[in-house]
Amino acid sequence: SKPLSPVVVATSKSFEAEVLRSDVPVLVDFTATWCGPCKALGKVLEGVARDHAGALRRCLSLHLRSA
């Protein structure tokens, strides 16, 4: 089976609790399904999340809607 991603997908409802109220650093990736460079950055973000698991509360990916 595929291992779970260390990146958590945030929503507009969870953003305040997960990011704004966090007492430790949170890395947020603002992404969109239609954005090619965003997809490429997703793999980098997973590596950062694994490499800095103790220093970051979590890494979040917030998907933006197309305009």
Side-chain angles (χ1 to χ4, degrees):
S1 73
K2 185 178 176 182
L4 292 175
S5 172
V7 177
V8 175
V9 176
T11 66
S12 58
K13 292 180 181 179
S14 67
F15 188 82
E16 183 175 348
E18 294 285 351
V19 178
L20 301 179
R21 292 185 187 167
S22 177
D23 55 351
V24 293
V26 178
L27 176 61
V28 180
D29 172 37
F30 294 91
T31 188
T33 56
W34 48 264
C35 176
C38 296
K39 291 178 183 179
L41 187 59
K43 296 295 181 188
V44 174
L45 186 63
E46 287 183 8
V48 169
R50 277 192 293 276
D51 294 347
H52 298 282
L56 294 169
R57 177 166 181 248
R58 63 178 58 197
C59 289
L60 298 174
S61 182
L62 183 63
H63 296 272
L64 305 174
R65 294 184 213 179
S66 58

